[in-house]
Amino acid sequence: MKVKILVLILSTFYVANAQKNQGIIGESNWFNGWTNFKPKAVVYPAANQIITGDIKENMTLTKNNTYLIVGSVHVASGVVLTIEPGTIIRGDYDTTGTLTVVKGAKLIANGSETDPIIFTSNKPASERKAGDWGGIILMGDAPISRLGGVASSFYEPNPLYSSFGGLNENSDSGVIRYTRIEFAGKKIDNKMALNALTLAGVGNKTKLEYIQISFCSDDSIEVVGGQVDFSNVISYRATDDDFDFSMGIQSTVSNTIAIRNPYCSDNTRSRCFEIDSYDKVENFDALKKKTFVKLNNVTLMNDEENSMGLVKEAISLKTDSFVEVNNCVIAGFSSFIAFDDRYLADDNFKKIKVYNTTVDSCTEVFTNETLNKDQNASNWFMQNEKLFAVTNVGINNLFKNNDVKRKPDFRLK
């Protein structure tokens, strides 16, 4: 009993004295003003404008209208779609309303803290649920680690608009800022669903910040190749992964949070981050960059029981993919990082970097894919020189306010 009490005291002392820069940060709570954790309760205006087919000339969507996306809407190459702050765009259920910004086109969705842009369901408030419409797809000509250097989108059936990838790291697909995406991720068939936001071969001039994605029935964000960064993103109650990275993506994710919930998980191994370099090794171009994701000030919070919830590992890391974790907080999982067997057999875990990070209330820290503790990896990361702490404080004591129903503030206490 004395040992347990001492561990708790030390854990509490560590969190209380942790550097202020761990987890999501900000002098004020940057959730305020533009987010909504109860979108099912909002009565949005009925759509008075329909968007369908191909957008072949520059277009601006204005705040004084409410728009309905019907079917697959394509922003053609060379065209810019601009959305004014405060504009509401609703996605049609029956036709799986989806907005695709093809390679060479741009989306300028630059909302504001007081006037966010909202993509949401077209159903009445009482009937909304995850998967009510398709989502947003951005495609660019940045490098992907695929033989031939280009690929076709799994989600876009029209071959005229499905190609992505190229040689342009500075590719610019536009801006998504102060934007909410709600109830997206409708299933295409029994095996595949759309994501709230899909980025394919998107380059580093694309700006993605202050984005809240809520109640997506698949991944909140899927990134396939490219070189693009994220800042101030909230993934809330995703059914599958919060972030899915593959095909050689080079990305830094900063000041971002994934909030898991037991009522929004599926049985296909949902994670906060799924990181790999290829779907099939025979498609991988060894001359291209392998997937590398850097997490700065990221909070991964699981509000499930470790032994009962469907979300087990915070991060799933596959062979030939790499992650660096800096100033992060991971709380409430069965495993912090689950490595695949090849990763563990080759001791590739020694290439992974974890700095100034707190892992709290997790059953294990480093495991294999079956969530059995890997002692070699654990011994490696727990060496004294690693700036890394394991605590057992609990989510109710870690954050200023983890109640999403009452103005949540996930900065550390």
Side-chain angles (χ1 to χ4, degrees), residues 130-131 134 181-186 194-197 213-221 236-241 264:
I181 306 172
E182 305 165 350
F183 306 108
K186 188 178 179 183
L194 289 153
N195 309 292
L197 179 60
I213 298 176
S214 303
F215 297 97
C216 179
S217 68
D218 203 66
D219 301 336
S220 286
I221 298 178
Y236 176 55
R237 296 186 71 159
T239 300
D240 197 10
D241 305 321
C264 292

Side-chain angles (χ1 to χ4, degrees), residues 246-382:
S246 65
M247 215 175 288
I249 171 65
Q250 309 293 297
S251 182
T252 297
V253 182
S254 304
N255 209 14
T256 285
I257 186 168
I259 305 169
R260 302 299 315 195
N261 184 279
Y263 302 107
C264 292
S265 304
D266 62 21
N267 57 3
T268 60
R269 295 293 291 272
S270 304
R271 298 104 170 196
C272 294
F273 282 85
E274 181 173 316
I275 302 172
D276 60 44
S277 277
Y278 38 74
D279 51 351
K280 297 179 181 179
V281 66
E282 57 266 28
N283 293 333
F284 180 66
D285 187 343
L287 299 178
K288 299 285 197 316
K289 293 179 180 179
K290 297 177 180 178
T291 294
F292 175 75
V293 180
K294 186 174 184 179
L295 307 182
N296 293 333
N297 294 100
V298 171
T299 293
L300 309 180
M301 194 279 287
N302 188 19
D303 197 17
E304 305 185 23
E305 294 292 336
N306 292 337
S307 60
M308 299 298 292
L310 292 172
V311 179
K312 302 297 185 182
E313 61 267 36
I315 298 173
S316 171
L317 191 61
K318 305 295 187 182
T319 300
D320 292 327
S321 305
F322 302 94
V323 66
E324 181 177 317
V325 182
N326 303 290
N327 305 322
C328 294
V329 175
I330 295 88
F333 295 87
S334 292
S335 172
F336 166 29
I337 300 179
F339 299 95
D340 68 20
D341 290 340
R342 285 181 57 200
Y343 224 112
L344 293 170
D346 297 336
D347 278 2
N348 275 331
F349 60 81
K350 293 183 178 179
K351 299 178 182 178
I352 303 307
K353 298 176 181 178
V354 181
Y355 298 126
N356 194 31
T357 287
T358 295
V359 177
D360 185 83
S361 302
C362 292
T363 306
E364 300 291 351
V365 182
F366 302 99
T367 68
N368 61 14
E369 288 189 304
T370 58
L371 303 181
N372 292 317
K373 180 178 180 178
D374 187 89
Q375 194 62 53
N376 289 336
S378 296
N379 290 342
W380 168 258
F381 284 103
M382 295 304 292

